[in-house]
Amino acid sequence: MPFRLLISLLCALLPLHHGAPGPDGTAPDPAHYRERVKAMFYHAYDSYLENAFPYDELRPLTCDGHDTWGSFSLTLIDALDTLLILGNVSEFQRVVEVLQDNVDFDIDVNASVFETNIRVVGGLLSAHLLSKKAGVEVEAGWPCSGPLLRMAEEAARKLLPAFQTPTGMPYGTVNLLHGVNPGETPVTCTAGIGTFIVEFATLSSLTGDPVFEDVARVALTRLWESRSDIGLVGNHIDVLTGKWVAQDAGIGAGVDSYFEYLVKGAILLQDKQLMAMFLEYNKAIRNYTHFDDWYLWVQMYKGTVSMPVFQSLEAYWPGLQSLIGDIDNAMRTFLNYYTVWKQFGGLPEFYNIPQGYTVEKREGYPLRPELIESAMYLYRATGDPILLELGRDAVESIEKISKVECGFATIKDLRDHKLDNRMESFFLAETVKYLYLLFDPNNFIHNNGSTFDSVLTPYGECILGAGGYIFNTEAHPIDPAALHCCQRLKEEQWEVEDLMREFYSLKQNRSKPHRKTVSSGPWEPPAGPITPASPENHDQVREKKSTKQRSPLLSCPSQPFTSKLALLGQVFLDSS
């Protein structure tokens, strides 16, 4: 299929087939479950506001809060665009004001570069682009300017020192005030290197500063150049030397969103090279890791199986397959994963495929969204009612097992339903959002281009809200049309267009024609390390808030496999 045709289909998020009832006529009622999901959201959200704000996350068993990824009031940022998707414009407007008054990034905190990007930068960018739809009074020049955009840029600039390495691949952790600590480990997971292009390219397009997209592209290129002879990448790499520390290859923890961002970056940027990279990886993944519609872990250089396990984080893969049109394989893999859900009422972090049971010390389910995410994508593509059944099962299981007085608690053990005292911010950013969108076929997110908004910017007329939203890996939707709203033109082109406008105004008394953007040539990665630009001083400087000291965070959010060496999260080492 020609690339442009493929992309046009992807940007429409595939046509919706309104699902008919199943063979027994008992397909879940979308309206009923929409309301159930909305009630879930507000039980969790209100509990966070009452018991945990301004901390990052709610601790639902003790009804208090704690900071986890940096002291950003993270749950509030993560939940912001979900509020609008649920239709609550007044609360969206209130939270925008709260965030401007309370969130400060000039703090002495060691933060995960990966998590800060996907949750904070991504959440602020999405909320910025949705502000007008939410009735926020936007400033002149929006979407090329605005307080949430400035906050996103400030947060992203705090991450740029992490990219100052000989390879251009970033450290996993950075101090927001001082940059990379002198003793910081150079070992970073693959996902922590390859999960920036969606947010950083959007930021570069809106602000006109290319440094963000440049560093993200260099990191992607270096990973591509580091793949093995059989086309696979490992789990963790040394960003100073480019040597693989963990050589197990798969689609799950520590690698997952790298593949996701090659596809979504290709769609967002109309980038043939990124799509070609993914399709090459996809061939190697199918050749070496794919067994009976499961995906195993293999040694990246030999292709030999190292761990026959399914991880809950891998459940995003059927949704990603649907974005490239591989629906049949996506459904088969999804149904495998769904059988695991039905076995336990959730997806355990690790599932031993040959034994058909959980892995020791990895029996928990922290209310992850990945299987629900895939169900939402596949339902948009097929209308198969079994996908609504997964949504129904998810609502019933989560409410029955994890609902407590102060929100929803992580399920520590799916075998006996013991709970853990944490409600991660992704529950409101992703799990609830994907559930709601699964049951809400008429949501504005699903727009097929039949409606849109026309916005005048300093650079011409811009069409927004026509659909084709690209979700970052934290489910924050980015409007791809926005990337074309703020492109700066060369000075001489401005002068020519000014002369043309003056000519038409004087001679024909016609309105000024719109400026047109010019496409740049193919991007080439610079050689050597990337030197980020210095942070800019903005007109509006927020008052500095009191801060709390935090201990260093892990470079990856994943947990170790019980029989392997654990180093900064999920690490798989060659058994030799």
Side-chain angles (χ1 to χ4, degrees):
M1 180 183 293
F3 184 80
R4 287 187 178 275
L5 177 58
L6 173 63
I7 291 301
S8 66
L9 292 174
L10 294 174
C11 286
L13 285 181
L14 304 173
L16 172 64
H17 302 272
H18 294 284
D24 58 359
T26 59
D29 176 20
H32 170 77
Y33 280 97
R34 264 199 315 274
E35 294 307 309
R36 292 275 297 275
V37 174
K38 188 178 291 187
M40 288 173 59
F41 173 85
Y42 285 113
H43 178 64
Y45 180 76
D46 292 343
S47 295
Y48 168 76
L49 290 181
E50 294 169 8
N51 300 285
F53 177 78
Y55 290 96
D56 278 342
E57 291 179 354
L58 169 70
R59 297 200 302 174
L61 301 184
T62 52
C63 297
D64 56 9
H66 65 153
D67 282 330
T68 52
W69 296 111
S71 189
F72 306 126
S73 299
L74 187 59
T75 295
L76 208 56
I77 295 175
D78 251 353
L80 186 49
D81 51 38
T82 309
L83 284 167
L84 182 59
I85 287 172
L86 268 59
N88 194 338
V89 296
S90 60
E91 181 64 5
F92 183 101
Q93 295 169 8
R94 187 190 74 84
V95 172
V96 167
E97 296 295 329
V98 170
L99 292 176
Q100 292 179 62
D101 292 339
N102 290 276
V103 176
D104 181 16
F105 301 112
D106 195 18
I107 51 178
D108 187 8
V109 165
N110 294 318
S112 164
V113 180
F114 170 85
E115 298 289 349
T116 304
N117 176 57
I118 67 169
R119 304 193 194 208
V120 178
V121 178
L124 291 171
L125 283 174
S126 177
H128 164 73
L129 293 174
L130 294 172
S131 291
K132 192 175 180 68
K133 177 174 282 292
V136 175
E137 186 175 349
V138 298
E139 66 186 38
W142 181 91
C144 310
S145 65
L148 295 181
L149 177 60
R150 288 190 287 273
M151 289 177 67
E153 181 181 4
E154 182 183 356
R157 288 198 184 280
K158 294 291 185 178
L159 306 181
L160 290 179
F163 291 82
Q164 292 183 299
T165 65
T167 64
M169 295 187 286
Y171 285 95
T173 303
V174 67
N175 185 281
L176 299 181
L177 192 61
H178 304 296
V180 177
N181 291 325
E184 181 62 40
T185 175
V187 178
T188 306
C189 66
T190 305
I193 293 167
T195 310
F196 293 92
I197 191 65
V198 170
E199 298 84 2
F200 275 29
T202 300
L203 197 55
S204 285
S205 295
L206 295 178
T207 65
D209 189 339
V211 66
F212 302 105
E213 183 173 349
D214 285 350
V215 298
R217 283 190 178 272
V218 168
L220 287 175
T221 300
R222 298 297 183 250
L223 276 177
W224 173 253
E225 294 170 349
S226 301
R227 69 195 188 282
S228 69
D229 290 340
I230 61 174
L232 296 173
V233 289
N235 197 271
H236 277 67
I237 195 169
D238 188 313
V239 300
L240 299 182
T241 66
K243 302 296 184 183
W244 288 102
V245 174
Q247 297 180 2
D248 279 65
I251 62 171
V255 184
D256 47 5
S257 52
Y258 169 46
F259 296 137
E260 179 186 356
Y261 270 40
L262 289 176
V263 173
K264 291 182 175 180
I267 299 171
L268 186 69
L269 302 173
Q270 303 283 288
D271 191 305
K272 296 181 181 179
Q273 184 181 28
L274 294 182
M275 184 62 77
M277 287 179 182
F278 174 78
L279 294 177
E280 283 298 310
Y281 278 130
N282 195 38
K283 290 178 184 177
I285 289 166
R286 290 190 59 80
N287 285 339
Y288 294 101
T289 76
H290 185 246
F291 296 89
D292 294 329
D293 297 316
W294 296 96
Y295 292 85
L296 311 183
W297 288 89
V298 302
Q299 211 282 339
M300 66 177 287
Y301 293 104
K302 304 172 185 176
T304 53
V305 175
S306 56
M307 288 192 303
V309 299
F310 157 62
Q311 301 175 340
S312 62
L313 284 170
E314 296 172 15
Y316 79 98
W317 189 256
L320 195 65
Q321 288 177 303
S322 77
L323 284 179
I324 63 169
D326 192 6
I327 302 299
D328 290 342
N329 283 320
M331 281 299 297
R332 286 196 293 268
T333 298
F334 174 87
L335 292 174
N336 272 354
Y337 297 168
Y338 187 18
T339 62
V340 178
W341 180 289
K342 288 191 283 190
Q343 182 179 353
F344 296 100
L347 289 186
E349 292 287 72
F350 282 56
Y351 179 81
N352 188 303
I353 296 170
Q355 295 180 2
Y357 207 64
T358 61
V359 173
E360 182 184 0
K361 297 183 180 179
R362 295 293 171 263
E363 304 91 350
Y365 171 55
L367 311 182
R368 291 197 188 278
E370 283 76 18
L371 189 62
I372 302 163
E373 172 187 0
S374 286
M376 190 274 289
Y377 278 111
L378 285 169
Y379 187 67
R380 299 295 301 171
T382 69
D384 191 327
I386 197 172
L387 299 158
L388 294 183
E389 293 175 18
L390 178 277
R392 172 201 63 199
D393 292 350
V395 171
E396 300 294 348
S397 293
I398 291 171
E399 285 199 334
K400 180 178 180 180
I401 301 174
S402 77
K403 186 176 182 180
V404 294
E405 181 180 355
C406 295
F408 292 86
T410 287
I411 301 169
K412 187 175 184 178
D413 194 327
L414 280 166
R415 299 170 304 174
D416 56 17
H417 297 170
K418 288 182 180 178
L419 300 179
D420 205 359
N421 193 21
R422 188 174 185 187
M423 186 182 80
E424 294 214 43
S425 69
F426 61 65
F427 178 66
L428 294 179
E430 300 184 78
T431 308
V432 171
K433 182 183 295 167
Y434 284 131
L435 274 173
Y436 192 80
L437 290 173
L438 174 63
F439 291 116
D440 189 16
N442 298 318
N443 197 277
F444 74 88
I445 287 291
H446 298 317
N447 186 10
N448 62 4
S450 57
T451 62
F452 57 86
D453 297 317
S454 177
V455 179
L456 289 177
T457 77
Y459 314 102
E461 185 181 22
C462 184
I463 300 300
L464 293 173
Y469 292 91
I470 305 300
F471 287 100
N472 85 336
T473 197
E474 190 77 1
H476 295 305
I478 301 295
D479 188 342
L483 275 68
H484 306 282
C485 290
C486 310
Q487 294 185 17
R488 276 66 173 168
L489 303 179
K490 295 179 181 179
E491 184 177 352
E492 58 269 25
Q493 292 170 327
W494 282 93
E495 294 173 353
V496 169
E497 290 194 11
D498 286 339
L499 289 173
M500 292 177 63
R501 279 194 300 275
E502 183 179 358
F503 173 81
Y504 280 110
S505 176
L506 293 174
K507 299 298 183 181
Q508 301 181 25
N509 195 28
R510 295 176 60 183
S511 60
K512 298 179 180 179
H514 301 306
R515 295 187 174 100
K516 296 181 180 179
T517 59
V518 292
S519 60
S520 59
W523 178 90
E524 295 293 340
I530 303 303
T531 303
S534 301
E536 297 177 357
N537 293 322
H538 300 303
D539 295 333
Q540 299 179 355
V541 179
R542 297 191 306 279
E543 179 183 357
K544 299 293 183 290
K545 306 295 179 182
S546 60
T547 61
K548 301 176 285 294
Q549 298 298 317
R550 300 287 168 261
S551 58
L553 299 171
L554 302 181
S555 68
C556 278
S558 312
Q559 296 176 323
F561 183 59
T562 182
S563 64
K564 301 287 181 175
L565 173 64
L567 175 64
L568 296 173
Q570 186 75 43
V571 176
F572 303 126
L573 294 184
D574 184 2
S575 58
S576 63

